[in-house]
Amino acid sequence: MRSFRPLPRRFYMPSAKVVAPALLGHWLIRNTSNGPCGGPIVETEAYLVGDPACHGTPGLTARNRVMFGAPGHGYVYLIYGFYYCVNAVCRPPGVAEAVLIRAVEAALGEEIMRQQRPVDATRDLTNGPGKLCVAMDIDRGLDGADLCDAKSPMFIARNQAVEKFRKERGPVVTGTRIGLTKAADLPLRFYLAGSAFVSQRRWAGAYADMKIMRTWRKDGPFYRAFELGKSA
């Protein structure tokens, strides 16, 4: 059985724009009555102070109070009256920033997640913020969960081989956030291009990035993911 140790609270002290790419490759774990489930994070978005799209911008409310608390806690909110989204709170208390976890690879407890979200393709279990919350049974009851405690119902664990994982699934692509009408042009979305679990790809920009980095090759992970995306 794999042993998981949570990331320390100091990991979440910097700005969300620093924490968001740093979370890629580390594991989001949900402790359920049937055992743990989850997997490595492969897509994130940062929400910052002064950012019109950040839930903390209007000030402290009953909904966003966790964002103004200590870093390293989970902020869970409801969207469209049905789906939940999970975030990692960043910065010292009183400074409301967070990282939205948009996708994880379903690497642990797949059968547990399939009970919550029956799908044909494994990648469809957790390749989106609402999907992963359904599969991992994350709702407002987990708002405020301590992400730095392995006994918490939800935490983020350090991947001891994170650099290897990023190299295998990389490169890291930076782009604009998805589904926003405010501050939609800010480059605050980060994902591992070689992972099939990424929710959406903007192929033209990603392809250009890859040409610049000279890592476009038919035996590479990005090419395989690109072909998969074209056929999805």
Side-chain angles (χ1 to χ4, degrees):
M1 181 69 178
R2 182 190 290 265
S3 177
F4 293 103
R5 297 183 61 182
L7 292 168
R9 202 165 309 282
R10 65 179 179 273
F11 182 92
Y12 303 96
M13 287 295 287
S15 172
K17 66 182 177 183
V18 174
V19 177
L23 277 174
L24 296 175
H26 294 299
W27 287 58
L28 177 65
I29 305 293
R30 172 78 165 94
N31 286 321
T32 78
S33 58
N34 294 317
C37 65
I41 298 166
V42 295
E43 182 182 358
T44 59
E45 288 179 351
Y47 290 84
L48 314 176
V49 168
D51 174 1
C54 179
H55 285 187
T57 297
L60 179 65
T61 67
R63 182 198 192 202
N64 69 17
R65 62 178 181 79
V66 172
M67 289 190 73
F68 288 86
H73 286 81
Y75 168 49
V76 182
Y77 61 86
L78 183 70
I79 57 170
Y80 309 130
F82 184 76
Y83 290 108
Y84 293 96
C85 291
V86 62
N87 303 254
V89 174
C90 303
R91 303 289 299 273
V95 183
E97 293 194 1
V99 175
L100 171 65
I101 300 174
R102 285 198 55 90
V104 305
E105 293 196 359
L108 176 70
E110 181 178 332
E111 290 307 313
I112 295 172
M113 291 188 279
R114 284 185 177 276
Q115 291 174 13
Q116 298 292 326
R117 180 174 162 76
V119 293
D120 293 328
T122 301
R123 64 184 173 135
D124 289 333
L125 274 172
T126 52
N127 63 342
K131 294 177 181 180
L132 73 87
C133 283
V134 172
M136 297 176 68
D137 194 22
I138 296 171
D139 59 20
R140 280 284 288 178
L142 295 181
D143 188 45
D146 190 348
L147 301 178
C148 304
D149 182 357
K151 296 181 180 179
S152 172
M154 176 177 66
F155 69 101
I156 297 178
R158 181 185 299 278
N159 181 351
Q160 297 294 341
V162 68
E163 294 302 329
K164 180 176 182 289
F165 182 86
R166 289 173 184 162
K167 185 176 181 180
E168 292 173 348
R169 301 297 196 280
V172 175
V173 174
T174 301
T176 54
R177 296 172 295 186
I178 292 173
L180 299 183
T181 56
K182 299 177 181 178
D185 59 339
L186 296 180
L188 294 173
R189 177 180 174 234
F190 310 91
Y191 65 90
L192 292 171
S195 174
F197 287 78
V198 171
S199 64
Q200 294 185 34
R201 290 181 173 83
R202 290 168 181 170
W203 295 109
Y207 178 62
D209 290 344
M210 293 299 297
K211 287 182 68 178
I212 292 171
M213 296 178 68
R214 297 183 180 180
T215 55
W216 179 263
R217 60 184 190 276
K218 289 193 175 183
D219 62 339
F222 183 82
Y223 183 87
R224 293 194 297 272
F226 181 76
E227 291 298 311
L228 180 62
K230 289 197 300 183
S231 63

